[in-house]
């Protein structure tokens, strides 16, 4: 097999910042964030040290799933502005040394996409997966809108009744309003004619469409894509080999057509996704052989977004001290050894589907240690908008554009407006409060960018200094290895043979004696509550420290 082109060099130094566009900054006073609002705040990102931005979907959509239900891949949603506004955003970001990635929803469309509307009236169209077409007059079904929880009589499990003249029903990918694009089945079956092979006409047309969509946006100056539900393409694909083959084909095309662009996957299994063709994959709250256990073992205190299917695991960054960094460290090492130099893993602070760091009982004083770890570990760091000031997960919000996935899983709490200052609506918008996309955090002590910019001791300034430290010292980069000296409380590791990092996320202090001659009093680059002695490390509760062992 032809090898992939080497990963673009710029990716190794990327510091990602995820922007949920409808919640970041509203420039026109309609209560919803937009491109011009982002452009107006690019100086904040540049000051912080961000060099790569990922935008959640900004394409035309009926917004039944917050934009992940796309009705036109080649036009932007009017709520965000115009194509020219997006072009200006990309241009102004580039002037500040910031690359911009879009979110590509590859596995499904909206049920209002012209492709689907045509397919729902044309039994000869195979862009989507249709079954039960031998049933006279179709079958009655439920109106689309929610997660699928049953099938109309006569249809295979998981299918939804046709909304058009075509009999039978279609297979959704997530919500019923998101029909799955047909990339074929890994195991076709003549007795079930909807299970087409991966090289049937419909799957070939959809692979070609992905190339056309990516080519369109990359030619306008975008740096690449984060791909939503990247593992969902080929159906009945238990080992994901057939889905991997689709991405391998697309990666070879990308290498030839846009060699400087990158693909990041929402897969949560870098050992599979990167060899398939992605340049990087995220540790996520799901995915992989343990369904996201490594990331959840760091951050998930089960007080924000929580899924009944997740196995219980005590998170390390918790005041109780019940968790351990071992689960994450071992998973990271296994993946890193498997990938070598073929690609990267990324570690997010949170995302639009997962609770923020500041969630439930985790308080602001616990966040510095979390950032000291995230920005010194050899993964690509991804900061979710607002986490740099410690915005909190806001509980008990109403279902907004499909945000509620379960009784304890409301994604809206992580999607509230960015808190810029102490003005109306925290500086997010001039609209009346009742017109905002989501309400601003009502807490009277909510953090803001303006207040933290004015306070050199704030979390915002710490995050800025940590990013600058990572950017200035190659020892903190992804190419430099990590030596773990103590896998407990405090967690202690050395980067590049030179910098000792210590974090103690629990409430109680911790001291450890280490049989390592390098551990001795050394200059602190960043520290709060950590002291070094000869072979000893002592850390107060919620402490962190970064020391130059060559100093």
């Amino acid at each position: 097999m032809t090898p992939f082109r080497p990963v673009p060099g710029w990716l190794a130094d990327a510091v990602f910042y995820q922007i949920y566009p409808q919640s970041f900054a509203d420039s026109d006073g309609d209560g919803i964030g937009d491109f011009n609002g982002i452009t107006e705040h690019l100086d904040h990102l540049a000051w912080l040290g961000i060099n790569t931005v990922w935008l959640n979907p900004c394409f035309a959509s009926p917004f039944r799933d917050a934009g992940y239900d796309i009705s036109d891949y080649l036009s932007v949603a009017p709520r965000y502005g115009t194509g020219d506004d997006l072009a200006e955003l990309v241009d102004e970001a580039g002037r500040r040394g910031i690359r911009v990635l879009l979110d590509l929803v590859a596995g499904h469309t909206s049920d209002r996409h012209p492709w689907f509307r045509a397919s729902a009236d044309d039994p000869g169209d195979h862009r989507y997966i249709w079954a039960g077409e031998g049933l006279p007059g179709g079958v009655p079904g439920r109106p689309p809108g929610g997660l699928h929880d049953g099938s109309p009589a006569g249809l295979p499990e998981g299918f939804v009744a046709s909304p058009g003249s075509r009999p039978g029903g279609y297979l959704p990918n997530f919500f019923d309003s998101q029909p799955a694009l047909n990339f074929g089945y890994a195991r076709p079956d003549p007795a079930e004619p909807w299970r087409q092979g991966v090289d049937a006409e419909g799957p070939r047309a959809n692979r070609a469409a992905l190339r056309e969509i990516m080519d369109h946006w990359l030619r306008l100056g975008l740096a690449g894509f984060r791909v939503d539900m990247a593992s969902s393409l080929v159906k009945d694909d238990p080992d994901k080999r057939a889905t991997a083959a689709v991405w391998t084909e697309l990666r070879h095309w990308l290498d030839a057509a846009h060699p400087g662009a990158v693909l990041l996957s929402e897969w949560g299994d870098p050992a599979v996704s990167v060899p398939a063709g992605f340049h990087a994959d995220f540790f996520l709250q799901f995915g992989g052989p343990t369904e996201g256990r490594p990331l959840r073992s760091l951050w998930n205190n089960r007080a924000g977004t929580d899924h009944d299917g997740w196995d219980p695991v005590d998170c390390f960054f918790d005041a109780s001290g019940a968790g351990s960094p071992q689960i994450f460290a071992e998973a990271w090492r296994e993946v890193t050894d498997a990938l070598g130099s073929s690609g990267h893993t990324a570690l997010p602070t949170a995302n639009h589907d997962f609770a923020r760091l500041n969630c439930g009982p985790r308080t602001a004083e616990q966040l510095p240690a979390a950032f000291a770890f995230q920005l010194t570990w050899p993964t690509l760091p991804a900061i979710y908008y607002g986490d740099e000031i410690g915005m909190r997960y806001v509980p008990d919000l109403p279902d907004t554009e499909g945000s509620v996935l379960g009784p304890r899983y409301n994604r809206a709490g992580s999607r509230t407006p960015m808190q810029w200052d102490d003005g109306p609506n925290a500086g997010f918008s001039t609209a009346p409060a009742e017109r905002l996309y989501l309400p601003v955090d009502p807490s009277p002590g909510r953090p803001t960018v303006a207040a933290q910019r004015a306070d050199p001791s704030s979390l915002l300034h710490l995050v800025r200094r940590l990013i600058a430290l990572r950017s200035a010292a190659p020892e903190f980069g992804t190419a430099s290895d990590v030596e773990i000296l103590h896998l407990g409380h405090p967690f202690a590791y050395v980067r590049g043979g030179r910098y000792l990092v210590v974090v103690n996320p629990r409430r109680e202090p911790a001291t450890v004696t280490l049989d390592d001659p390098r551990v001795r009093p050394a200059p602190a680059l960043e520290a709060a509550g950590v002291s070094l002695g000869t072979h000893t490390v002592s850390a107060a509760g919620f402490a962190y420290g970064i020391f130059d062992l060559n100093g």
Side-chain angles (χ1 to χ4, degrees):
M1 182 180 294
T2 305
F4 296 131
R5 193 180 181 97
V7 178
W10 64 264
L11 185 59
D13 299 318
V15 178
F16 286 97
Y17 189 90
Q18 181 189 347
I19 292 178
Y20 193 66
Q22 50 263 60
S23 294
F24 193 64
D26 171 22
S27 70
D28 59 9
D30 66 354
I32 299 176
D34 47 49
F35 296 135
N36 289 338
I38 298 172
T39 301
E40 290 171 1
H41 289 283
L42 286 173
D43 285 341
H44 167 68
L45 302 183
W47 174 86
L48 188 59
I50 299 300
N51 57 25
T52 313
V53 165
W54 153 40
L55 302 179
N56 284 90
C58 53
F59 306 111
S61 169
F63 291 99
R64 289 182 176 176
D65 186 20
Y68 282 93
D69 47 330
I70 294 174
S71 57
D72 185 353
Y73 286 97
L74 301 183
S75 66
V76 300
R79 62 156 57 167
Y80 301 129
T82 66
D84 288 342
D85 293 332
L86 176 58
E88 182 181 7
L89 164 59
V90 173
D91 184 59
E92 289 297 323
R95 294 177 189 275
R96 294 163 174 81
I98 299 173
R99 291 177 170 85
V100 179
L101 282 74
L102 298 184
D103 202 314
L104 177 64
V105 182
H108 57 265
T109 70
S110 164
D111 59 1
R112 299 185 189 180
H113 196 292
W115 295 346
F116 183 73
R117 289 184 167 181
S119 190
D121 290 326
D122 181 3
D125 185 293
H126 298 291
R127 296 294 292 270
Y128 299 84
I129 301 171
W130 291 89
E133 295 178 278
L135 298 172
V139 291
R142 301 176 291 106
L147 281 171
H148 190 71
D149 56 7
S151 298
L155 287 179
E157 179 63 30
F159 281 72
V160 179
S162 172
S165 62
R166 183 176 190 163
Y170 66 91
L171 182 70
N173 216 29
F174 192 61
F175 289 122
D176 287 2
S177 56
Q178 294 165 310
L181 287 164
N182 181 16
F183 289 92
Y185 278 74
R187 296 182 288 196
D189 184 347
E192 298 179 340
W194 64 88
R195 299 171 65 99
Q196 297 183 347
V198 294
D199 286 321
E201 178 184 357
R204 290 201 313 271
N206 286 329
R207 295 202 301 272
L210 283 182
R211 292 193 297 270
E212 293 169 6
I213 293 163
M214 289 192 286
D215 185 67
H216 172 82
W217 293 108
L218 293 174
R219 288 184 182 277
L220 295 179
L222 278 300
F225 301 91
R226 174 267 193 189
V227 180
D228 175 67
M229 293 180 64
S231 65
S232 72
L233 271 58
V234 178
K235 305 306 180 186
D236 191 15
D237 187 17
D239 59 9
K240 300 300 178 183
R241 290 185 183 179
T243 298
V246 173
W247 290 113
T248 296
E249 175 186 310
L250 289 167
R251 168 66 181 274
H252 284 305
W253 166 82
L254 189 72
D255 281 350
H258 301 280
V262 300
L263 292 176
L264 279 63
S265 61
E266 186 198 35
W267 196 308
D269 194 359
V272 175
S273 59
V274 171
F278 285 93
H279 298 87
D281 189 11
F282 294 89
F283 282 107
L284 294 169
Q285 69 273 18
F286 65 89
T290 59
E291 274 301 298
R293 187 176 175 89
L295 182 75
R296 290 186 284 107
S297 74
L298 292 177
W299 310 137
N300 185 35
N301 60 13
R302 313 205 77 160
T305 49
D306 193 32
H307 191 278
D308 291 338
W310 289 342
D311 60 321
V313 56
D314 291 315
C315 66
F316 180 52
F317 285 89
D318 187 75
S320 70
S324 166
Q326 183 171 355
I327 295 171
F328 174 80
E330 289 182 351
W332 171 83
R333 174 60 70 186
E334 183 178 344
V335 168
T336 300
D337 289 346
L339 298 186
S341 61
S342 64
H344 300 281
T345 57
L347 178 60
T349 58
N351 60 52
H352 61 291
D353 290 333
F354 190 53
R356 292 183 178 278
L357 289 179
N358 188 350
C359 175
R362 187 180 294 129
T363 58
E365 64 180 333
Q366 297 173 247
L367 304 183
F371 273 103
F373 162 73
Q374 193 236 9
L375 288 167
T376 61
W377 194 258
T379 42
L380 298 176
I383 298 171
Y384 186 52
Y385 83 97
D387 280 357
E388 73 271 26
I389 58 171
M391 281 177 58
R392 73 180 182 115
Y393 173 88
V394 180
D396 304 322
L397 294 177
D399 188 4
T400 304
E401 295 185 349
S403 64
V404 174
L405 300 183
R408 292 179 293 113
Y409 205 131
N410 185 351
R411 301 177 291 175
S414 295
R415 301 175 176 183
T416 55
M418 181 68 173
Q419 295 155 200
W420 293 105
D421 56 41
D422 290 330
N425 300 322
F428 163 71
S429 173
T430 59
E434 64 272 13
R435 289 183 56 198
L436 299 185
Y437 174 74
L438 281 167
V440 174
D441 181 359
S443 172
R446 66 191 179 211
T448 68
V449 171
Q452 293 200 10
R453 277 289 293 265
D455 179 7
S457 67
S458 67
L459 178 65
L460 178 61
H461 276 274
L462 173 64
V463 172
R464 183 186 189 228
R465 294 194 304 270
L466 289 170
I467 292 174
L469 182 61
R470 181 184 181 93
S471 301
E475 290 87 351
F476 289 114
T478 56
S480 179
D481 202 6
V482 59
E483 303 170 67
I484 297 175
L485 303 187
H486 188 244
L487 201 60
H489 294 87
F491 187 24
Y493 51 92
V494 175
R495 295 301 318 276
R498 176 172 180 176
Y499 297 107
L500 172 65
V501 181
V502 179
V503 292
N504 181 33
R506 74 180 187 184
R507 181 182 298 105
E508 298 300 320
T511 298
V512 63
T513 299
L514 300 172
D515 185 19
D516 190 315
R518 295 173 297 180
V519 177
R520 53 179 174 74
L525 303 180
E526 288 290 342
V530 176
S531 61
L532 303 182
T534 302
H535 303 304
T536 63
V537 177
S538 297
F542 310 141
Y544 63 91
I546 303 169
F547 302 88
D548 185 352
L549 298 178
N550 291 353

